[in-house]
Amino acid sequence: DILRFSKMGEALLSNGLSTTVTNRWIIASNYDQIVAWDMLSSSFSRISCGPLEGLQGGTVAVAATDHGDVLYLAYKRLSRKNSEFWRYDLLTQECSQPEWSQQWEQKTDPQGWYARSMVIDPEGVFLYVSRRWEKLGRTGRMERHSISMVNLQSGSIEDVRLHGTQVDDDVCPGVERSDVWKNTGQPILVDDILIMGFVEGSSALWLATQPKSMWKSGQRPPCQTGYPSDCSPYEWELFRLRAPKVSIVGNNIFRGNLAENGGALSLSGLSNLAEVVVQDAMIKSNSASMQGGGVQLDDVYGRVDFNSCSLTSNEASLAGGALGAFRFGYLTVSNCTVSLNTAFEGAAMHFHSRDDFLLTSCSFTEVGSGTVEMRHTWVTKNLGSARQGGTGALTAKGNVLVAVLATEFEGNEGSFGGSITVKDDVRLSLESCSITNSKASDCGGAAALNNSAPLVLKGTVRMNSNEAGNHGGAICAHALDASTGLCNAAFHTHPFMLDHSQADLVEITRNEAKSGGGGGMYARCRGAGGATLDVASAPSVNLADNTATYGSNIATSAQTFSLVLDNAPSGQSASLSLHPGQFLTTKLNFLDAFGNRVLTASGPLPYTVEASLRRPAPSGTGASTLISQSFAAFDEQGVCDVERYPTSVKWPFVELPSGERSFASGLEVSYTAFERDATLSESGWIPSPVVVPVHRLPCRPGQAFSPATLICLTCHPGQYVLSPDQTDCVDCPAGGSCDGDRFTAAPFSTFEVEDGSHYRVVACDPGYVLVRSSSNPAFDQCVECPITTYSLSPARWSPNASLSVQAVENAIDAVGLCLDCPIGAICPGGAKVQPLPGYWREEVTRRVLPSEEAVVLHRRNSNESGVGGKQQSKVKLWPCSPGACLGNSTCAIGHQGPLCSQCNAEDKWVKSGTGCYQCVGDMSALRLAVIIIFCCLIFPLAWYFAAWQPYTSEVKPPSSQHLLDRVATWFGIVKKPSSDEDLDGQEGDGHDSADSTVSTGQEILCCGIRVRKLKSVIWPVSGYRNIVISFYQILSSFLGGHSIKWGRPLAQTMQAAGLISRIDVFAIPAVSCLSGTLNYSQTLQLSTLGPIVLVAVCAIPSVIVKILGFAKHGGWTKHPKHAQVTLRLLTSTKTILFIVYPTVSMTCLNG
């Protein structure tokens, strides 16, 4: 009546229903209350624990010993997740909490473990508690079940291994996590565990388990609410708590044995209480077709010790050449030698705590962890498989704890890890160990780490002289997050999966990665950064003298796909500047986290790079437009040189209404790497494309943009281009030269740009005719006048044809505009007119012509007509003095100036007749003496006789002679009459007339002839004199007036005649040298002004006589000496002017 039970199923399933039976008591609990039936007194009593009174909660389980009076109860408060334990004395009715209750709360998960059932072993030493943890998850309820063992004497708490596994809700619908355990050989997925009691004394437990295999599609079976006859909600299992101890001690030899698993020794099905000791055993040359060539441990959760054993030359096809441990508890290997063993995985030892099971539609992995301790052991020359997937000598998987102390690994080989390979959740520590001369065909010559926990290094650890065929000469850290391809969280916390915080020295030297990166350490993941980059500089790490294809000491797998600009890697912020038609000059490479270029010694990287030139679409308007595309591969230096796979860059444009081309902007090149195999990607990583903005450069000089091909095309050498982006290549005009870029006009021609696209000729220098075709600018040129012709006028073209000068349509008509060469010259063509010897070409000065925009100078007007009635300049030739002109406008030595008629005064050349004479020596002293003699002696005497003598002589009677008679007498024309001659002549009125010279009827003696009048004699004589002087003047003019090469005697005669006909003292070489080097201007001034000065000096006495006659004699002519002084002035003036007239005239004309 106190506890009402409806069905046994409800008793088992209801929360808190629990019973326990002792020799005296039967105790039952239904969460809210506990009652005890005392079989001695046959009475019921309620059990009340004072500290729990008034609390919200209830008792969930009770347990008592068979022969005791102590009751243990598990109480669950609503405010707490965990159960708490109390001890109740059935006799004294005292309730207290044991000390281990607090330890229980600390040990168990605070999120909600509570007791499901309890039982105490018959000896009353151990309390076994089944626990349950549940929580509402995303798709249902999450549950965990386990059994713990409490030592009631010591208070220690230990979990009992139930071979449990974890299952996620994504695999099994309706359940997020539950347990699988195994006892009878089959895995069972359970939903509940109840401890029913002990059997076989205290060596085994009866457990009632509710298997989840009864569920279908995530729905609970109908057994939950009612139990039909064919449905049992629980199954009964026997769980053994005791196992025998096995000792194999002594010099036992296991050799040459063969089995499927465990060639020499196989241990299985042992609980955590079992103990196995193998000591001083030799396990050699055994083989297994599956696992454990020497020894296999499977389902052994007790302790197994190998001491001072030798495990050599054993072989397993799959795993564990010497020792394979699968689902084990605690294993020690001390002072052993493990060598020359072979297996695909774990050539020496293979530790694995997990297997995969398949149950209905759910897949799950068994949970369990094993512990391995290895001390003072030698693991040498074990050979793992070099095939993909082969592992090192010591391989650990699953949830295993491996501690290695003072152990040497040497000469081991494998594929992934030469000596050590760890995976999954393995926790490995090396203390005072060394790994040397080991090899991995793939990665990690010493150790390959592919686990979630770091390799803990303690003391002094050395990894020297190891080798990897690919990456990581010593260490290969495969710390990859499979979902992202990036380095996992543990890698960032412990770079390269190493924890060297407890190490005194970590020496990683002389290792080699033959075909990959990281001679010392290599990380096979992406996203390495932070502390990873500082691991090589850690104080306790000596990372040196390692070699690799890239990253000699430390490297990672490819991190970034980057551009290489100027041998310096650059990110995606770089840009390119390209000409249309230019090949992409970009280089790309893969870099690791340390900036090392990723290489492989086996050849180029297995990637193909696609280079796509695209025009991005306006924002939000669609996909980009592909313009051009090319593919490239990597070379052996790890560089993808896109230029080696040329593709021209095409640049789109639009033509504006003005005809100008407007080129597209904002283009970009996208470089995408496609992997040919998984060497670099690890998990199929495809690097992000490198997108580089492209800026357009104008076409290079000598190129023109082609609208048809959208590239810049190179112009031919016979072409030019004005604006490479806007104009096409143009054929070179005939009047210049082109180099494919620029047009260079001939030096005698002028070209101008027309319409902004081509050159046209507009002007030519003198000597050329302008040829300008109206249909083809390539014919434009300046044609030189040929031999025997010339042209002095510059040619110029004008849009107004009437204003064009020397311009024609074609070269054939150009010769007609040239002038014929004049006589006395040679015309080699053009504007050149070269005078022959003896001729002088007058320097042409051109005048302004209305049809020209230039000044044309010409010293003499020429009225010859040219084309279209326009005037042209002509050459005028003049004969030179004999020997003065040598031809081609060149003067003989010493001659200069027009017609070579002047002498070179700078070199002391002076005029000598018609030629030039060079003075020799210094004439300054002689010149001074001549000047003194002339001024002091010659000039005073000449002046006296020419002017002053009549003034100082006696006055002659006026009637003695008339003025004209005296002149005739002075010249010796008439004889002076004697005093007795009857010359009845009168002076008359003093006028000097012919009629008054002689008295009428008188005769005078003239040249021996008596004549009546003097004038009839004087004037004929004067005519004869003039004729003679003129003859000599004319004769002397032949020498310089005609271009005839006279003979030497005749030329000297003509020169002498010049001296007779005209007195030019400065033409005498000696006089010219004495007078100094007078130029033409000075000579002209002296020749014209000198006679005037002489006449004025000679007139001084006459002026004095007239002044005195006016002052003293009453008239200007009344002075007694007036007649004779005046006569002398006239005579001197006539003589001077007659003598100097030819000289002055020739001097003026020669100028």
Side-chain angles (χ1 to χ4, degrees):
D1 294 336
I2 299 176
L3 294 177
R4 298 182 180 275
F5 298 94
S6 59
K7 294 179 180 179
M8 178 58 68
E10 291 182 357
L12 294 173
L13 290 174
S14 298
N15 187 20
L17 281 178
S18 177
T19 62
T20 182
V21 179
T22 70
N23 293 336
R24 178 179 177 180
W25 306 92
I26 298 177
I27 304 169
S29 168
N30 71 342
Y31 186 77
D32 292 326
Q33 55 186 325
I34 305 173
V35 295
W37 171 259
D38 187 353
M39 291 183 287
L40 292 179
S41 60
S42 300
S43 61
F44 278 105
S45 64
R46 295 181 182 274
I47 297 176
S48 175
C49 184
L52 300 179
E53 294 294 331
L55 297 179
Q56 292 185 350
T59 302
V60 294
V62 293
T65 61
D66 289 346
H67 304 286
D69 298 321
V70 176
L71 175 68
Y72 287 89
L73 57 92
Y75 187 84
K76 176 69 172 65
R77 299 191 191 189
L78 295 180
S79 60
R80 294 183 181 181
K81 297 292 185 179
N82 290 328
S83 299
E84 54 186 89
F85 295 87
W86 294 84
R87 182 178 184 275
Y88 184 81
D89 193 325
L90 295 172
L91 297 178
T92 63
Q93 299 182 355
E94 293 180 358
C95 188
S96 62
Q97 191 171 14
E99 294 181 359
W100 54 265
S101 179
Q102 296 180 354
Q103 181 182 355
W104 175 276
E105 295 181 7
Q106 296 174 0
K107 180 178 178 61
T108 56
D109 191 344
Q111 294 298 323
W113 282 99
Y114 66 93
R116 185 72 177 89
S117 62
M118 296 191 304
V119 67
I120 300 177
D121 68 343
E123 288 80 11
V125 177
F126 296 99
L127 171 67
Y128 292 88
V129 182
S130 67
R131 299 182 300 164
R132 179 177 183 174
W133 176 90
E134 64 178 9
K135 181 180 179 181
L136 291 178
R138 292 169 294 177
T139 59
R141 186 180 59 182
M142 294 194 304
E143 297 179 356
R144 291 298 306 276
H145 302 271
S146 68
I147 296 177
S148 297
M149 179 178 65
V150 181
N151 190 324
L152 297 178
Q153 296 177 355
S154 63
S156 63
I157 301 175
E158 181 180 355
D159 290 338
V160 178
R161 301 181 186 275
L162 292 177
H163 323 291
T165 63
Q166 299 177 357
V167 178
D168 294 335
D169 59 336
D170 293 336
V171 181
C172 288
V175 178
E176 290 201 2
R177 183 174 291 177
S178 188
D179 294 332
V180 171
W181 69 286
K182 175 183 177 183
N183 187 49
T184 59
Q186 296 296 327
I188 301 174
L189 188 64
V190 300
D191 185 47
D192 198 6
I193 299 176
L194 295 177
I195 303 175
M196 305 308 297
F198 281 91
V199 295
E200 300 179 1
S202 60
S203 62
L205 288 175
W206 274 113
L207 302 180
T209 62
Q210 186 182 49
K212 279 192 170 62
S213 59
M214 299 171 62
W215 299 1
K216 295 181 181 179
S217 302
Q219 301 296 324
R220 285 188 177 274
C223 319
Q224 182 177 10
T225 55
Y227 300 106
S229 58
D230 59 346
C231 178
S232 173
Y234 284 87
E235 294 180 355
W236 299 88
E237 297 290 341
L238 181 64
F239 183 77
R240 299 187 180 277
L241 298 176
R242 297 289 186 267
K245 294 183 179 181
V246 179
S247 296
I248 303 176
V249 180
N251 295 324
N252 296 286
I253 299 176
F254 298 82
R255 179 166 54 192
N257 300 289
L258 175 63
E260 182 179 1
N261 295 293
L265 180 63
S266 178
L267 302 175
S268 62
L270 299 179
S271 69
N272 59 322
L273 301 179
E275 295 182 6
V276 179
V277 177
V278 181
Q279 184 170 338
D280 298 327
M282 176 184 291
I283 303 175
K284 182 178 181 180
S285 300
N286 302 284
S287 62
S289 60
M290 296 293 289
Q291 301 172 352
V295 179
Q296 182 192 18
L297 306 181
D298 188 12
D299 242 355
V300 177
Y301 291 95
R303 180 186 179 97
V304 180
D305 296 328
F306 286 86
N307 299 321
S308 302
C309 295
S310 175
L311 293 88
T312 60
S313 303
N314 299 286
E315 179 181 358
S317 299
L318 294 181
L323 173 62
F326 309 91
R327 295 179 296 274
F328 64 96
Y330 193 85
L331 173 65
T332 65
V333 179
S334 302
N335 298 301
C336 293
T337 299
V338 185
S339 62
L340 301 175
N341 301 283
T342 60
F344 182 75
E345 290 187 285
M349 291 169 282
H350 186 273
F351 308 121
H352 191 187
S353 64
R354 290 186 177 180
D355 270 335
D356 293 334
F357 298 105
L358 180 62
L359 183 64
T360 64
S361 61
C362 303
S363 62
F364 49 87
T365 305
E366 182 177 351
V367 174
S369 61
T371 300
V372 178
E373 291 187 9
M374 186 180 299
R375 301 184 182 91
H376 304 284
T377 297
W378 292 265
V379 183
T380 61
K381 298 181 181 179
N382 297 281
L383 182 60
S385 175
R387 302 195 311 271
Q388 184 71 25
T391 60
L394 187 155
T395 301
K397 297 181 179 180
N399 188 14
V400 179
L401 174 63
V402 182
V404 183
L405 173 65
T407 296
E408 295 183 7
F409 296 83
E410 182 180 4
N412 301 291
E413 296 184 15
S415 175
F416 184 67
S419 284
I420 296 177
T421 303
V422 292
K423 297 183 178 181
D424 304 326
D425 297 324
V426 173
R427 291 158 291 168
L428 172 65
S429 65
L430 298 178
E431 181 176 356
S432 301
C433 297
S434 66
I435 305 176
T436 59
N437 298 314
S438 297
K439 296 181 181 180
S441 60
D442 180 16
C443 190
L449 311 177
N450 187 16
N451 56 329
S452 60
L455 169 59
V456 179
L457 304 177
K458 303 177 182 180
T460 298
V461 178
R462 289 183 170 87
M463 300 181 188
N464 301 326
S465 303
N466 300 287
E467 179 185 302
N470 198 3
H471 303 292
I475 294 177
C476 177
H478 190 100
L480 195 67
D481 187 332
S483 61
T484 64
L486 302 176
C487 299
N488 57 31
F491 182 88
H492 294 291
T493 305
H494 301 283
F496 291 86
M497 300 306 294
L498 298 179
D499 181 0
H500 51 82
S501 61
Q502 304 178 53
D504 299 326
L505 174 63
V506 177
E507 184 179 271
I508 304 176
T509 61
R510 301 185 304 278
N511 301 284
E512 181 181 6
K514 299 183 71 66
S515 298
M521 295 187 294
Y522 177 79
R524 184 174 276 177
C525 63
R526 295 182 295 108
T532 305
L533 306 180
D534 302 327
V535 65
S537 59
S540 60
V541 176
N542 178 19
L543 187 63
D545 300 329
N546 301 286
T547 58
T549 306
Y550 73 94
S552 58
N553 287 315
I554 189 168
T556 69
S557 58
Q559 303 284 306
T560 57
F561 180 50
S562 305
L563 291 176
V564 178
L565 298 177
D566 297 330
N567 296 324
S570 174
Q572 296 187 8
S573 60
S575 62
L576 294 176
S577 297
L578 300 173
H579 305 274
Q582 180 182 357
F583 296 147
L584 291 175
T585 57
T586 312
K587 297 180 180 180
L588 301 103
N589 61 1
F590 285 99
L591 301 178
D592 70 353
F594 298 97
N596 300 311
R597 179 178 294 167
V598 177
L599 302 171
T600 60
S602 58
L605 298 179
Y607 274 84
T608 298
V609 175
E610 175 191 284
S612 301
L613 178 65
R614 297 180 177 274
R615 183 177 186 178
S619 179
T621 59
S624 59
T625 302
L626 178 64
I627 300 174
S628 63
Q629 185 180 46
S630 64
F631 295 90
F634 284 84
D635 58 22
E636 294 184 354
Q637 302 303 317
V639 176
C640 175
D641 189 353
V642 181
E643 191 175 11
R644 295 176 56 189
Y645 306 86
T647 297
S648 299
V649 175
K650 298 181 179 181
W651 212 282
F653 76 100
V654 295
E655 187 169 345
L656 302 178
S658 62
E660 185 179 358
R661 298 165 185 165
S662 176
F663 295 95
S665 60
L667 302 187
E668 62 185 22
V669 179
S670 176
Y671 299 97
T672 304
F674 297 97
E675 188 178 17
R676 295 197 297 268
D677 59 39
T679 302
L680 294 179
S681 68
E682 314 300 349
S683 63
W685 171 61
I686 299 177
S688 300
V690 176
V691 179
V692 182
V694 182
H695 305 291
R696 185 187 185 277
L697 295 177
C699 293
R700 294 185 177 95
Q703 292 183 332
F705 184 79
S706 170
T709 60
L710 303 179
I711 63 175
C712 297
L713 298 178
T714 302
C715 299
H716 298 297
Q719 294 179 320
Y720 69 94
V721 58
L722 283 174
S723 177
D725 284 342
Q726 302 295 334
T727 60
D728 300 329
C729 296
V730 182
D731 292 337
C732 190
S737 61
C738 299
D739 57 3
D741 175 22
R742 296 180 299 272
F743 164 71
T744 302
F748 45 79
S749 60
T750 302
F751 281 75
E752 293 181 353
V753 177
E754 183 177 78
D755 298 334
S757 60
H758 57 276
Y759 281 101
R760 297 304 303 264
V761 63
V762 294
C764 301
D765 289 351
Y768 295 86
V769 177
L770 187 148
V771 177
R772 179 172 171 131
S773 172
S774 60
S775 60
N776 191 349
F779 295 145
D780 286 11
Q781 58 184 308
C782 291
V783 177
E784 185 179 17
C785 290
I787 298 176
T788 71
T789 64
Y790 74 97
S791 174
L792 300 181
S793 299
R796 190 164 189 87
W797 176 87
S798 174
N800 186 351
S802 62
L803 300 180
S804 297
V805 178
Q806 294 287 92
V808 294
E809 274 280 333
N810 56 74
I812 298 177
D813 299 333
V815 181
L817 300 184
C818 299
L819 301 176
D820 294 332
C821 189
I823 299 175
I826 295 177
C827 298
K832 297 178 182 179
V833 180
Q834 300 175 354
L836 295 172
Y839 288 91
W840 177 265
R841 173 183 170 176
E842 185 175 8
E843 293 295 332
V844 177
T845 305
R846 301 166 64 190
R847 61 187 178 83
V848 176
L849 299 178
S851 61
E852 297 182 43
E853 298 178 1
V855 176
V856 182
L857 302 177
H858 200 296
R859 290 187 58 184
R860 286 180 170 84
N861 295 331
S862 57
N863 296 322
E864 292 81 356
S865 297
V867 177
K870 303 177 182 63
Q871 295 181 340
Q872 271 196 353
S873 297
K874 280 192 173 183
V875 172
K876 182 65 177 179
L877 298 180
W878 300 88
C880 303
S881 299
C885 297
L886 302 181
N888 196 22
S889 299
T890 303
C891 295
I893 185 171
H895 293 73
Q896 64 180 12
L899 279 71
C900 301
S901 60
Q902 299 177 8
C903 298
N904 188 358
E906 294 181 357
D907 293 336
K908 298 182 180 181
W909 286 83
V910 295
K911 195 71 175 178
S912 175
T914 59
C916 295
Y917 174 80
Q918 187 175 24
C919 299
V920 181
D922 188 5
M923 306 294 291
S924 58
L926 181 58
R927 185 184 301 113
L928 181 60
V930 171
I931 291 175
I932 294 175
I933 294 173
F934 178 79
C935 294
C936 296
L937 181 59
I938 298 177
F939 180 75
L941 291 175
W943 191 22
Y944 172 76
F945 288 106
W948 288 99
Q949 185 183 18
Y951 184 77
T952 58
S953 65
E954 294 181 358
V955 179
K956 294 183 179 182
S959 60
S960 61
Q961 266 187 343
H962 292 289
L963 178 60
L964 189 55
D965 295 332
R966 293 190 183 97
V967 173
T969 302
W970 186 79
F971 276 101
I973 301 174
V974 297
K975 182 179 180 183
K976 182 179 179 182
S978 62
S979 60
D980 58 354
E981 288 178 338
D982 188 14
L983 294 172
D984 188 15
Q986 300 294 330
E987 185 178 358
D989 56 2
H991 297 286
D992 189 11
S993 64
D995 294 337
S996 61
T997 303
V998 181
S999 300
T1000 304
Q1002 294 183 335
E1003 292 180 353
I1004 61 174
L1005 184 61
C1006 179
C1007 300
I1009 303 174
R1010 288 186 178 274
V1011 294
R1012 181 139 184 113
K1013 291 185 181 278
L1014 182 60
K1015 65 179 180 180
S1016 61
V1017 177
I1018 294 175
W1019 300 122
V1021 173
S1022 300
Y1024 293 139
R1025 182 196 59 193
N1026 292 339
I1027 292 172
V1028 172
I1029 294 175
S1030 297
F1031 170 77
Y1032 285 106
Q1033 290 177 347
I1034 294 172
L1035 180 62
S1036 63
S1037 67
F1038 288 162
L1039 186 62
H1042 299 279
S1043 300
I1044 300 175
K1045 189 174 182 180
W1046 305 98
R1048 183 176 180 83
L1050 186 57
Q1052 292 178 348
T1053 302
M1054 293 179 181
Q1055 186 174 4
L1059 296 176
I1060 298 173
S1061 62
R1062 57 185 182 93
I1063 305 300
D1064 185 2
V1065 294
F1066 297 104
I1068 302 173
V1071 176
S1072 298
C1073 291
L1074 289 175
S1075 63
T1077 54
L1078 299 177
N1079 56 29
Y1080 168 77
S1081 178
Q1082 293 171 341
T1083 303
L1084 181 61
Q1085 293 176 9
L1086 189 59
S1087 299
T1088 55
L1089 298 179
I1092 297 175
V1093 173
L1094 291 176
V1095 172
V1097 172
C1098 292
I1100 292 176
S1102 179
V1103 173
I1104 294 175
V1105 169
K1106 286 185 179 292
I1107 293 174
L1108 292 177
F1110 180 78
K1112 295 182 178 183
H1113 301 284
W1116 296 103
T1117 62
K1118 298 300 183 179
H1119 194 283
K1121 297 182 178 181
H1122 176 267
Q1124 58 189 35
V1125 171
T1126 303
L1127 179 60
R1128 181 59 59 87
L1129 173 62
L1130 294 176
T1131 302
S1132 300
T1133 301
K1134 183 178 179 181
T1135 302
I1136 292 172
L1137 294 180
F1138 187 79
I1139 292 174
V1140 302
Y1141 165 71
T1143 302
V1144 174
S1145 299
M1146 291 302 295
T1147 302
C1148 293
L1149 294 176
N1150 285 338

